[in-house]
Amino acid sequence: MRPSFFHHLHPPTIPARQARLRYTLASGGLAVFLSLILLVTGLLEMFYYIPTPDQAAASIQTLTFLVPYGGLVRNLHYWTAQFLVIVTLVHLLRVILTGAYAPPRRLNYLIGMGLLVLAILLDFTGYILRWDEGIRWALVTGTNLVKSIPLIGNALYTLLVGGTQPGPATLIRFYGWHIFGLTLAAGILIAWHTFRVRRDGGIAVPPPPLREDQRRITRYELVRREVLAMLLSATALLLLSSFAPAPLAAPITATSVSQTARAPWFFLWVQQMLKLGNPFFWGVVVPLAVLVLLSLIPYVFPKPAKPELGRWFPKSNRLAQVVALLILISMIALTLLALRPAS
Amino acid sequence: MRRYLLLAASIFLLLGLLIAAWQENRHPKPIALTPTLTGQVEYCLTCHSDLAQISNSHPVNTFGCVICHGGEPLALDANLAHSTLRGGKNPSDFSVVQASCGGSNCHSGTVESYNNHIQRATTSIQATYAGAIAIMRYTYGAQSSLAALFGVNAVQDIQSTSGITSLQAFDPAAETNPQLQLFGQNCLTCHLSAQPIQTGGRYDHFTGCAACHTPTQSADLVSVDTTTATQVHKLTTAISYTQCDTCHNRGNYDLRTMTFQPRTDLVANRLQDYYQPIAQFTQCEYTLDCIDCHTRTEAMGDGSLYGSKLDIQYIQCTTCHGTLTELPQTRALTDPNDLAFRLALLNPVVDLKLGDTILVTGKGEPLWNTRVLPDGTYQLVGKATGQVFSFNPVMGSACTQNGVDQSSDYCHTCHSVQR
Amino acid sequence: MPEISRRDFLKLASQGFIALSGLFGLGMLLRFLGYQTEPPPPTDFDLGPASNYASGSRTLRPEIPAVVIRTSNEFTALSLVCTHLGCTVESKPEGFACPCHGSRFDLQGKVVRGPAVKPLNSLRTGITSDGILHVYTN
């Protein structure tokens, strides 16, 4: 058959071993698909969401309880967003643990790190748009962390918050970032990232002479597998969204009080560290250091050897794998500690 | 193999969509109400449509629910909808009453417009308990006079006519005398902000305005459904004596051990079993309801802080029966804006008309449920029961009172019933 | 029955279910998009006591928008919504003029000049038992 536009987006063939689910975990492709779901459900939410402090939480209540399938759309958007952050992290971990960042893929690795940061920022800005009592302290501490940066902190804070304290200007700026600014950046990086995958030679494999298994699958088979993954993940998200509601608390008003001071799940590790002391150090420096360390892996650590590419846990980049796993375990540990009930 | 998987996955997708649609249709269909006072739509009726309207003075199409209760008008999830309720089930609790019941057109208006209820109720002696606290502190040496200094809650009355302009909050833990600390622990269960001693039962009541105005007890002492007694969604001015008795006539106290023995019995015979055996009662007292005699300022205060109930309670036998030489004071209702008409409208047991003559108290308060009929007979209609009674003035009767002593003890000497 | 390979049948069946899902999803989407957040505008306008309107008067009521005409014994209300594309026509000595595309109507609402074709709508009026004039736009 003649290949369609979608078929042509894929290489004519790819190595069969590296196309397997147990190799890629479908994480990269899933990230793209989840992003598409977020774009569509996000647009649908935009028809009902009103980005002013008086009406934000009430418009979300209208969407959730009164609009037909409004709750479903909102839950889909919420769960897909959380899974996108998780899938992006899984993808990053997969890339490190299979050594798939070796040259010429080092630039693409950095683009991917940028996408990770964007995914987290999109999750956070979306969370703030609820403007309910659950987000109040996250907004205050998050923006104050920016203020804690020496020299440029106050200027950055004003840019971010649009005033001297969080208010209507902040909400509309976060809305602008979430709907357009960060989304545009993510769109550009997704396009560049997927382009680079093909430019860098597709999925990481040993060079042909060193390859044990020479089998390949066609683009038709690849697209079929992707369609299968999309169908299954869409169904799973639909079912989850039908039964598990996205969180929503009472609106922020002049007299409302916050019941909780818990960070969103992906920042619990930072909240736990902030209990230790200096906010600039634990809230800005350490997380940035983790990001920088992860970004430096392809440049500083011993490179994976070409014969070992295309498989899990190659010996040649063992140090990078250990470092990545240690960072993961620490973040999970910090998150679990943060979840303990306050004494 | 993969093609079977694809077919299965597409069937699952369709099933997933169908399940999502089914789940959507299981949600209750929203029932909208746009009250005329607020113009904001609320969806409380989606789950609460079987609730009775709270009173004829608060029709749901005018008020809706949120204006009094708070809550989230658009939410159909119970936890979220109720998360911003004022005062939980009882928005008239004094901690939130100003936001729920207040407003110059509602219940925190002016004395002249007769709607300063919140100011009166929150400074009334039933709310402050200032008299009991003052006596206790004086008795146990914590203060050198009987002047009221403390109340259950801190309260101010800048325009006081009684001389007391404020009360501090009574804190038993700050008292040095252990008897006063015990008093704080055991004896502060009968004021308008207190949780009642016995909940869910015969003597249960709400706090705040609802303590009196939401009937948790029926006039028939034995048939009250104790499981639903405190679920009543009702505001009334037809308050039965059983409601008053959720605090009054509650049991016995022992000053030496500073304890209170609440009674737990359910009694059927009001005269024989209900009231304390040592007390004496005239027919009025075991037949009428408390509010048939006790006026609105006696029950709810007149807006000033007082240190003793004796300063506010002033109804006597003479108020309705007069003396040997004087008939009871009356007033002919010639002004259509008379307070008496407004009170009668709220509790329509009497068809009061312009030109009717009613009894008034020494302070001029209208006893709107009483009338002097054209033929000269005196009539009282029970505010809670609607029962009609006729009564006689002292003048022209065989009463042998000395005329000078008009205390109720004195009248009881002859008129109380032997039990 | 024409022969169809198992591969093609499975492909057709999968596409069929996906198409059905798409149609069902479209139905859900249409219901989602059809929700109205605002209540519809009022159709019953309370214009105060009918006695306020003198005989022979023509009163502009821009909130409807309409002009209330009282002859010696009856009320009529002429809608000021241009029948061409909905702009509010302006009152002139000789009738009504629409600023948008040049339509002209006479004092009774009949078309004098296009592009409007239909005359201005006559709105139903009513007087309640206590003498209050109402105009209805439905």
Side-chain angles (χ1 to χ4, degrees):
Chain A
M1 65 182 282
R2 293 205 64 195
S4 71
F5 172 69
F6 296 103
H7 290 123
H8 260 292
L9 289 174
H10 299 79
T13 62
I14 68 167
R17 281 204 70 183
Q18 281 72 32
R20 294 166 89 168
L21 184 64
R22 72 187 79 163
Y23 178 69
T24 63
L25 303 175
S27 47
L30 209 52
V32 175
F33 181 54
L34 294 182
S35 305
L36 283 173
I37 296 180
L38 287 171
L39 282 174
V40 173
T41 53
L43 171 65
L44 292 178
E45 286 188 311
M46 281 177 78
F47 291 134
Y48 290 102
Y49 177 75
I50 301 173
T52 64
D54 302 326
Q55 295 186 284
S59 67
I60 297 179
Q61 287 185 14
T62 303
L63 173 70
T64 307
F65 298 111
L66 304 172
V67 177
Y69 302 110
L72 181 68
V73 168
R74 174 165 186 255
N75 296 343
L76 258 177
H77 194 82
Y78 173 78
W79 288 116
T80 306
Q82 311 319 308
F83 280 116
L84 177 61
V85 171
I86 293 174
V87 162
T88 308
L89 286 167
V90 166
H91 181 64
L92 170 64
L93 206 58
R94 194 284 286 172
V95 163
I96 296 176
L97 298 180
T98 56
Y101 52 79
R105 295 186 172 83
R106 295 191 299 184
L107 175 62
N108 208 16
Y109 179 91
L110 288 181
I111 301 172
M113 289 300 297
L115 280 167
L116 174 64
V117 169
L118 284 173
I120 290 175
L121 289 177
L122 278 163
D123 206 352
F124 183 68
T125 50
Y127 170 82
I128 295 300
L129 290 180
R130 277 188 226 153
W131 214 255
D132 66 18
E133 279 300 336
I135 66 110
R136 177 198 277 270
W137 300 126
L139 179 61
V140 168
T141 55
T143 50
N144 282 340
L145 270 177
V146 166
K147 216 197 281 195
S148 74
I149 300 172
L151 294 177
I152 53 169
N154 281 314
L156 273 180
Y157 181 88
T158 312
L159 276 172
L160 184 63
V161 168
T164 48
Q165 63 176 20
T170 317
L171 179 55
I172 202 75
R173 285 189 188 211
F174 271 61
Y175 183 67
W177 283 119
H178 187 81
I179 305 297
F180 202 79
L182 295 169
T183 304
L184 181 64
I188 293 172
L189 287 190
I190 289 177
W192 196 9
H193 190 76
T194 44
F195 163 74
R196 290 288 322 196
V197 169
R198 284 197 70 177
R199 162 72 84 85
D200 296 339
I203 203 145
V205 277
L210 303 169
R211 223 174 282 177
E212 306 165 357
D213 191 341
Q214 299 283 348
R215 280 176 299 165
R216 302 179 76 81
I217 62 167
T218 65
R219 56 170 37 134
Y220 303 101
E221 173 57 26
L222 181 57
V223 168
R224 230 175 272 127
R225 291 190 194 185
E226 287 179 356
V227 168
L228 183 63
M230 288 194 272
L231 285 172
L232 289 173
S233 55
T235 307
L237 281 168
L238 259 178
L239 286 173
L240 179 64
S241 304
S242 299
F243 295 99
L248 190 57
I252 292 179
T253 65
T255 52
S256 59
V257 283
S258 179
Q259 303 297 332
T260 176
R262 185 182 273 183
W265 69 270
F266 47 90
F267 279 152
L268 280 172
W269 64 286
V270 181
Q271 183 175 31
Q272 186 63 21
M273 288 196 301
L274 283 167
K275 295 180 189 174
L276 296 170
N278 183 286
F280 173 60
F281 180 74
W282 291 109
V284 181
V285 173
V286 169
L288 269 180
V290 169
L291 262 179
V292 167
L293 179 58
L294 286 171
S295 307
L296 284 178
I297 286 181
Y299 294 91
V300 167
F301 286 77
K303 294 189 199 351
K306 282 208 181 359
E308 282 193 314
L309 291 177
R311 77 164 88 117
W312 280 81
F313 300 111
K315 276 206 199 56
S316 41
N317 77 329
R318 195 49 53 91
L319 180 61
Q321 296 167 20
V322 167
V323 166
L325 283 171
L326 278 176
I327 293 176
L328 174 70
I329 291 170
S330 316
M331 287 169 96
I332 293 178
L334 285 168
T335 304
L336 288 174
L337 280 174
L339 284 171
R340 272 181 324 170
S343 50
Chain B
M1 172 60 172
R2 187 120 304 138
R3 263 175 259 255
Y4 286 116
L5 272 177
L6 257 177
L7 177 61
S10 6
I11 297 176
F12 284 142
L13 178 67
L14 184 61
L15 277 176
L17 281 169
L18 288 170
I19 291 174
W22 168 73
Q23 183 64 350
E24 173 77 16
N25 282 318
R26 284 180 68 209
H27 294 149
K29 193 162 179 322
I31 301 176
L33 170 69
T34 307
T36 53
L37 265 184
T38 64
Q40 309 277 343
V41 66
E42 16 184 283
Y43 289 89
C44 317
L45 290 178
T46 306
C47 300
H48 295 286
S49 57
D50 54 349
L51 203 56
Q53 182 160 276
I54 197 165
S55 79
N56 289 336
S57 324
H58 301 85
V60 70
N61 287 323
T62 308
F63 287 78
C65 316
V66 174
I67 196 176
C68 300
H69 284 281
E72 291 301 306
L74 302 172
L76 294 179
D77 166 72
N79 288 330
L80 181 61
H82 302 154
S83 61
T84 49
L85 276 182
R86 278 192 286 271
K89 268 198 233 172
N90 181 12
S92 73
D93 185 279
F94 284 164
S95 60
V96 292
V97 69
Q98 194 62 250
S100 311
C101 312
S104 54
N105 286 332
C106 297
H107 293 284
S108 51
T110 62
V111 174
E112 296 78 20
S113 52
Y114 299 123
N115 64 344
N116 62 336
H117 306 92
I118 294 178
Q119 208 275 320
R120 288 166 47 214
T122 51
T123 52
S124 73
I125 204 130
Q126 293 194 103
T128 63
Y129 218 54
I133 294 173
I135 287 178
M136 282 294 135
R137 297 190 82 246
Y138 173 74
T139 305
Y140 290 100
Q143 59 185 67
S144 54
S145 76
L146 280 169
L149 302 169
F150 289 87
V152 165
N153 298 308
V155 68
Q156 275 196 319
D157 174 26
I158 316 161
Q159 295 160 324
S160 170
T161 55
S162 63
I164 305 174
T165 52
S166 71
L167 292 171
Q168 296 172 57
F170 177 59
D171 181 10
E175 298 289 341
T176 46
N177 191 317
Q179 286 294 78
L180 286 174
Q181 291 169 357
L182 268 179
F183 169 69
Q185 281 165 26
N186 298 336
C187 308
L188 287 181
T189 46
C190 278
H191 57 80
L192 295 178
S193 308
Q195 288 303 319
I197 309 166
Q198 185 184 350
T199 54
R202 169 63 187 81
Y203 296 97
D204 204 357
H205 61 261
F206 286 107
T207 58
C209 310
C212 304
H213 286 285
T214 299
T216 50
Q217 310 300 330
S218 72
D220 174 350
L221 293 166
V222 289
S223 70
V224 101
D225 181 351
T226 56
T227 55
T228 60
T230 45
Q231 303 293 323
V232 181
H233 187 244
K234 194 167 173 195
L235 283 173
T236 183
T237 53
I239 301 168
S240 157
Y241 75 97
T242 52
Q243 194 67 26
C244 309
D245 284 334
T246 57
C247 279
H248 298 272
N249 192 52
R250 265 307 266 118
N252 287 308
Y253 54 83
D254 182 336
L255 274 180
R256 275 174 300 179
T257 58
M258 200 57 80
T259 51
F260 183 71
Q261 260 75 47
R263 62 186 305 171
T264 53
D265 51 329
L266 277 167
V267 292
N269 186 312
R270 190 174 171 186
L271 175 63
Q272 296 301 332
D273 303 326
Y274 195 58
Y275 293 112
Q276 300 291 53
I278 54 166
Q280 305 169 296
F281 295 97
T282 64
Q283 194 181 3
C284 295
E285 286 153 340
Y286 66 83
T287 312
L288 301 177
D289 290 294
C290 312
I291 59 168
D292 287 329
C293 299
H294 288 291
T295 66
R296 59 198 283 277
T297 61
E298 287 186 300
M300 287 176 62
D302 61 4
S304 289
L305 291 168
Y306 291 103
S308 166
K309 74 172 183 185
L310 300 172
D311 295 331
I312 191 72
Q313 210 178 302
Y314 69 103
I315 284 290
Q316 292 177 308
C317 308
T318 57
T319 310
C320 292
H321 293 283
T323 68
L324 275 175
T325 49
E326 282 174 32
L327 285 175
Q329 290 180 44
T330 57
R331 173 161 90 219
L333 296 175
T334 51
D335 180 2
N337 292 326
D338 197 302
L339 176 60
F341 288 115
R342 188 178 164 137
L343 295 172
L345 181 72
L346 289 172
N347 185 3
V349 287
V350 195
D351 188 13
L352 218 52
K353 290 203 173 39
L354 208 57
D356 281 350
T357 304
I358 59 168
L359 266 54
V360 291
T361 69
K363 285 189 190 171
E365 292 195 80
L367 294 169
W368 59 270
N369 60 329
T370 61
R371 266 188 305 192
V372 186
L373 298 177
D375 61 3
T377 56
Y378 290 79
Q379 187 189 75
L380 178 141
V381 182
K383 287 181 188 172
T385 57
Q387 271 184 286
V388 180
F389 303 91
S390 55
F391 59 95
N392 298 317
V394 172
M395 198 163 91
S397 73
C399 177
T400 55
Q401 61 171 234
N402 68 20
V404 168
D405 190 345
Q406 291 297 330
S407 66
S408 72
D409 293 354
Y410 183 64
C411 304
H412 277 75
T413 322
C414 297
H415 287 280
S416 63
V417 169
Q418 284 305 314
R419 296 190 285 170
Chain C
M1 180 77 168
E3 290 251 322
I4 179 170
S5 70
R6 185 202 315 234
R7 173 193 303 187
D8 291 337
F9 174 77
L10 287 174
K11 183 160 171 215
L12 201 60
S14 303
Q15 286 171 341
F17 276 106
I18 293 178
L20 268 176
S21 301
L23 275 173
F24 196 74
L26 187 66
M28 290 161 72
L29 180 67
L30 287 173
R31 283 199 61 203
F32 174 88
L33 291 173
Y35 178 80
Q36 296 181 18
T37 52
E38 298 299 314
T43 54
D44 180 351
F45 292 88
D46 177 331
L47 298 184
S51 48
N52 287 350
Y53 300 85
S55 180
S57 67
R58 296 171 68 90
T59 317
L60 207 63
R61 294 306 297 237
E63 71 273 22
I64 303 174
V67 62
V68 176
I69 303 167
R70 183 178 189 172
T71 57
S72 49
N73 56 349
E74 62 166 17
F75 280 93
T76 50
L78 210 55
S79 170
L80 295 176
V81 176
C82 183
T83 52
H84 179 234
L85 273 173
C87 297
T88 300
V89 301
E90 292 160 356
S91 186
K92 300 271 187 248
E94 65 278 10
F96 305 96
C98 184
C100 293
H101 308 101
S103 299
R104 298 281 181 271
F105 304 86
D106 69 11
L107 286 166
Q108 280 72 46
K110 291 219 299 292
V111 176
V112 167
R113 199 174 86 196
V117 170
K118 295 206 297 231
L120 293 176
N121 273 337
S122 245
L123 300 175
R124 189 166 53 92
T125 60
I127 301 185
T128 61
S129 50
D130 46 352
I132 308 294
L133 176 68
H134 283 247
V135 167
Y136 307 95
T137 55
N138 59 350

